[in-house]
């Protein structure tokens, strides 16, 4: 397979897949892996849509947990190209397709209420007049709300998912109240919540949220994730998530 300048072909953890990455454009991080392990997915049928799909790490990971059709939605053409070549390299073109779309236009393009599950690892930081955006445009779009806001993300997810379907998101804990408010406004009932901490005793630095379209009230808080031991090594739980664990899968 031909790699473009600055690209590399990396192992995708325990999956046995390869993924194209570039330090100048995009490399996946732990938050994407945690989201792909956290969400409940349809196993044998259905449609999963991954918003802000980047280089398709979440679709690739989800393909090992589900036989459903998976659609990745990504705004940046360079990332769409990388993602599509990774999908092709891993012989997953019959299951995964990557679409170059503004997520705000995705419901119109892909269909309202068609998805059984929507996943999203969105930009975390609101754009403010004094924001110091990363000089790398690709990283700025991934980290800051340049191309979409939290409201845009939740609106699109709610429009894409069918009644009873699920929306799963990874974000920053300091925006949890805002996330819940946006979910409620768009008829997504928060059903599951999980915090991730760098180490025991540290404040949470990531939060995973799953909501259900038109769901009944009732929120379950999953046990927290601790990423590192005191010596800096991954905890056994995170090592299992990253490098191999047979997880319970649910319809």
């Amino acid at each position: 397979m031909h790699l473009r300048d600055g690209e590399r072909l990396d192992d995708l953890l325990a999956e046995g897949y390869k993924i194209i990455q570039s330090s100048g454009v995009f490399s996946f991080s732990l938050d994407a892996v945690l989201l792909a392990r956290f969400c409940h997915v349809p196993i044998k049928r259905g449609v999963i849509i991954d918003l802000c799909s980047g280089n398709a790490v979440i679709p690739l990971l989800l393909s090992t947990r589900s036989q459903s059709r998976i659609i990745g939605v990504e705004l940046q053409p360079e990332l769409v190209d990388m993602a599509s070549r990774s999908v092709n390299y891993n012989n997953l073109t019959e299951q995964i397709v990557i679409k170059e779309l503004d997520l705000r236009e995705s419901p119109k393009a892909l269909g309202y209420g068609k998805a059984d599950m929507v996943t999203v690892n969105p930009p975390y930081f609101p754009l403010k007049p004094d924001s110091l955006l990363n000089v790398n445009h690709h990283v700025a779009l991934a980290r800051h709300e340049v191309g979409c806001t939290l409201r845009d993300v939740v609106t699109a997810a709610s429009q894409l998912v069918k009644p009873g379907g699920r929306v799963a998101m990874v974000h920053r804990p300091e925006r949890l109240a805002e996330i819940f408010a946006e979910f409620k406004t768009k008829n997504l009932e928060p059903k599951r919540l999980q915090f991730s901490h760098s180490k025991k005793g540290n404040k949470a630095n990531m939060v995973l949220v799953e909501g259900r379209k038109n769901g009944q009230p009732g929120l379950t808080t999953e046990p927290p994730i601790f990423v590192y031991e005191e010596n800096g090594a991954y905890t056994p739980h995170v090592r299992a998530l990253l490098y191999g664990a047979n997880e319970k899968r649910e319809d």
Side-chain angles (χ1 to χ4, degrees):
M1 181 184 61
H2 175 70
L3 294 176
R4 311 198 193 289
D5 289 345
E7 291 182 346
R8 64 185 188 272
L9 192 62
D10 290 342
D11 292 327
L12 188 56
L13 311 174
E15 268 55 38
Y17 293 155
K18 300 283 188 178
I19 186 167
I20 300 170
Q21 303 209 90
S22 168
S23 57
V25 179
F26 186 90
S27 295
F28 74 84
S29 54
L30 180 62
D31 47 3
V33 178
L34 294 183
L35 178 61
R37 307 303 197 202
F38 167 79
C39 62
H40 285 157
V41 294
I43 302 304
K44 296 182 179 179
R45 60 191 180 278
V47 175
I48 300 170
I49 297 177
D50 180 51
L51 301 176
C52 304
S53 202
N55 63 350
V57 59
I58 290 175
L60 291 171
L61 291 171
L62 291 180
S63 73
T64 68
R65 300 183 58 205
S66 175
Q67 298 173 29
S68 298
R69 183 171 182 240
I70 304 172
I71 303 170
V73 172
E74 174 52 45
L75 178 64
Q76 301 183 67
E78 297 90 344
L79 287 172
V80 172
D81 175 61
M82 288 173 61
S84 298
R85 285 184 288 129
S86 288
V87 169
N88 184 65
Y89 182 86
N90 292 290
N91 298 313
L92 292 168
T93 53
E94 292 187 4
Q95 183 180 13
I96 301 173
V97 62
I98 309 299
K99 299 285 188 179
E100 183 182 334
L101 278 173
D102 186 319
L103 67 81
R104 293 169 292 193
E105 302 299 321
S106 59
K108 182 178 179 180
L110 302 177
Y112 293 85
K114 299 294 186 181
D116 298 272
M117 160 65 73
V118 176
T119 55
V120 58
N121 181 5
Y124 292 157
F125 304 108
L127 188 62
K128 299 178 181 178
D130 59 347
S131 292
L132 295 176
L133 299 184
N134 192 298
V135 292
N136 184 316
H137 175 66
H138 304 290
V139 177
L141 278 170
R143 291 177 58 81
H144 297 267
E145 293 183 341
V146 178
C148 62
T149 64
L150 176 61
R151 178 165 294 177
D152 293 333
V153 169
V154 176
T155 298
S158 178
Q159 291 174 342
L160 287 164
V161 76
K162 62 178 59 173
R166 295 182 171 100
V167 173
M169 173 186 293
V170 60
H171 218 294
R172 302 280 291 192
E174 58 265 32
R175 301 195 69 184
L176 183 57
E178 188 181 353
I179 292 167
F180 277 3
E182 294 293 347
F183 268 43
K184 288 280 194 176
T185 299
K186 299 303 178 183
N187 297 319
L188 296 172
E189 183 64 33
K191 300 295 290 182
R192 295 175 61 233
L193 179 68
Q194 188 171 36
F195 292 99
S196 175
H197 308 248
S198 59
K199 293 180 179 180
K200 288 185 178 180
N202 289 5
K203 294 180 180 179
N205 57 5
M206 282 188 283
V207 65
L208 298 146
V209 182
E210 186 176 82
R212 197 154 198 166
K213 184 69 175 285
N214 301 333
Q216 296 298 312
L219 177 66
T220 298
T221 302
E222 305 286 356
I225 296 169
F226 300 104
V227 177
Y228 298 108
E229 304 278 14
E230 287 302 317
N231 63 4
Y234 283 129
T235 60
H237 177 67
V238 169
R239 284 202 308 271
L241 293 180
L242 287 172
Y243 303 118
N246 293 320
E247 297 182 87
K248 182 180 179 181
R249 304 187 298 180
E250 298 187 22
D251 272 312

